[in-house]
């Protein structure tokens, strides 16, 4: 095995380790690169994107696209009993229009809305791309 493929394998293992430690948390590629940079292990954004996309294809990670102005976020889901039980489509998002904070919802009530839309309106909701806009608690207090 040449050193180049070993290096890529090591980076993948480190990335999987990072994602496992952040199970259930939505992280961006920039956050991942910043973490590795702080640890003295520079890993390129292209490498992180490529490896995360592979992990999405392998079913280890979910990818969420919020909108054109927000970077995609990724969530480690391998061996996650909640995702196995409810499927991979239980995460909805709320985005604060003031500060840009992103809140991730794993909520049974949202499943009721999804079911209602399908049953009553014949509309299939894509939760990986569903975003509710409004104000977070902190910004609402400031108004």
């Amino acid at each position: 095995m040449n050193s180049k493929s070993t290096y890529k394998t090591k980076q993948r293992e480190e990335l999987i380790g990072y994602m496992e430690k952040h199970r259930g948390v939505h992280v961006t590629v920039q956050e991942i690169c910043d973490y590795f940079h702080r640890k003295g292990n520079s890993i390129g954004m292209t490498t992180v994107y490529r490896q995360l996309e592979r992990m999405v294809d392998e079913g280890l990670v979910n990818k969420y696209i919020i909108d054109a102005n927000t970077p995609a976020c990724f969530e480690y889901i391998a061996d996650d009993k909640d995702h196995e039980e409810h499927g991979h489509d239980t995460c909805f998002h709320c985005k604060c229009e003031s500060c840009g904070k992103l809140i991730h919802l794993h909520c049974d009530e949202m499943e009721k809305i999804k079911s209602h839309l399908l049953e009553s309106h014949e509309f299939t909701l894509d939760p990986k791309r569903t975003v509710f806009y409004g104000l977070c608690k902190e910004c609402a207090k400031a108004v």
Side-chain angles (χ1 to χ4, degrees):
M1 182 180 288
N2 68 37
S3 63
K4 190 172 183 180
S5 63
T6 303
Y7 181 70
K8 288 181 181 178
T9 300
K10 182 180 177 196
Q11 285 184 330
R12 178 181 165 85
E13 288 174 12
E14 290 173 349
L15 182 56
I16 288 174
Y18 172 88
M19 296 301 291
E20 287 175 338
K21 288 178 187 172
H22 294 86
R23 181 185 313 272
V25 177
H26 293 66
V27 294
T28 65
V29 170
Q30 185 64 57
E31 291 168 334
I32 294 168
C33 289
D34 290 347
Y35 168 82
F36 282 110
H37 181 73
R38 284 191 307 273
K39 294 287 190 185
N41 181 0
S42 78
I43 183 170
M45 289 186 99
T46 302
T47 300
V48 173
Y49 269 115
R50 185 174 52 249
Q51 291 297 334
L52 286 171
E53 291 295 340
R54 285 183 184 155
M55 290 180 210
V56 168
D57 292 342
E58 296 165 3
L60 300 174
V61 170
N62 261 350
K63 178 179 181 178
Y64 300 98
I65 299 171
I66 306 306
D67 57 36
N69 300 319
T70 305
C73 53
F74 298 85
E75 176 188 22
Y76 186 79
I77 59 166
D79 304 321
D80 187 332
K81 297 297 180 201
D82 184 52
H83 278 87
E84 288 175 19
E85 199 172 295
H86 300 292
H88 295 285
D89 47 351
T90 59
C91 188
F92 296 83
H93 301 87
C94 296
K95 184 172 182 180
C96 180
E97 294 177 296
S98 180
C99 70
K101 180 179 180 179
L102 192 62
I103 301 166
H104 309 282
L105 304 175
H106 292 277
C107 179
D108 290 336
E109 295 301 316
M110 298 308 300
E111 286 299 317
K112 291 177 186 176
I113 292 171
K114 182 180 164 189
S115 295
H116 169 78
L117 287 172
L118 181 60
E119 293 167 12
S120 299
H121 305 283
E122 299 178 349
F123 184 81
T124 302
L125 187 66
D126 180 359
K128 291 183 182 179
R129 297 184 49 114
T130 301
V131 182
F132 297 98
Y133 292 87
L135 295 176
C136 68
K137 184 167 89 173
E138 293 79 19
C139 291
K141 286 180 187 177
V143 175

